[in-house]
Amino acid sequence: MAQRLTRRAGPEHPVLFASEADIPPAPVLPDPGAAVELDSYRALLEEAEAIALAAVAEAAPGREVVVAGRREVPAADEDAAAVLDDGTARMRLLLGSAASAALRESLRARVLLVSATTARADGATVLRVSAAHDLRRLGAEREALVRATGRRR
């Protein structure tokens, strides 16, 4: 005899979430627009030997890296100083409690060039920032130098 199908929870039909509040939010994906924004700084990033965040995500903890990306405000529940997005990945930027006011201020730029050390936190790779620079300002300085000297470095 055929059994009737039910939606009641039981040993044969476990419940994934007790309520809507238990459903985790969808992950925020990297923005392709961030990669487009970084394209105008490609020569500068090559000189700085910056690597993509997607490659950094696979790096072992303790590795010194130089990365670039668009700064975004972290979610309210994140302990990060900022989130960096280069179009390939998104990564949290962390500052130590003894970070200088100048370093904290430099992280307010919209597009950043960051020197950091990789670490693991909450099962994900994060960057412990040691230096941060406004990439737009560095790009403008580089262009001024190129115009003044008439050649690319």
Side-chain angles (χ1 to χ4, degrees):
M1 180 178 230
Q3 276 190 310
R4 187 180 166 130
L5 298 176
T6 68
R7 292 182 174 249
R8 284 181 280 212
E12 307 86 35
H13 303 285
V15 174
L16 291 177
F17 305 106
S19 71
E20 284 183 29
D22 293 341
I23 301 172
V28 179
L29 298 175
D31 180 8
V36 171
E37 195 168 348
L38 290 176
D39 279 343
S40 59
Y41 304 105
R42 196 61 47 210
L44 181 60
L45 296 176
E46 287 174 5
E47 284 180 31
E49 297 179 2
I51 59 176
L53 290 176
V56 172
E58 305 301 321
R63 181 176 174 199
E64 293 285 329
V65 296
V66 175
V67 294
R70 183 172 59 202
R71 178 193 53 84
E72 296 179 5
V73 178
D77 61 340
E78 289 183 330
D79 62 344
V83 174
L84 199 64
D85 185 341
D86 72 350
T88 65
R90 293 172 49 90
M91 204 160 289
R92 293 181 294 157
L93 301 179
L94 304 179
L95 290 174
S97 58
S100 69
L103 179 56
R104 291 181 191 282
E105 182 63 31
S106 65
L107 280 180
R108 293 181 186 251
R110 177 174 162 77
V111 184
L112 294 168
L113 180 66
V114 176
S115 296
T117 304
T118 59
R120 298 288 293 174
D122 301 326
T125 301
V126 296
L127 297 172
R128 296 197 184 282
V129 179
S130 55
H133 304 281
D134 183 344
L135 191 56
R136 293 186 295 183
R137 186 179 54 77
L138 292 175
E141 289 173 0
R142 184 178 188 280
E143 282 302 312
L145 180 64
V146 166
R147 276 189 239 118
T149 61
R151 60 187 159 101
R152 301 234 177 239
R153 294 198 286 171

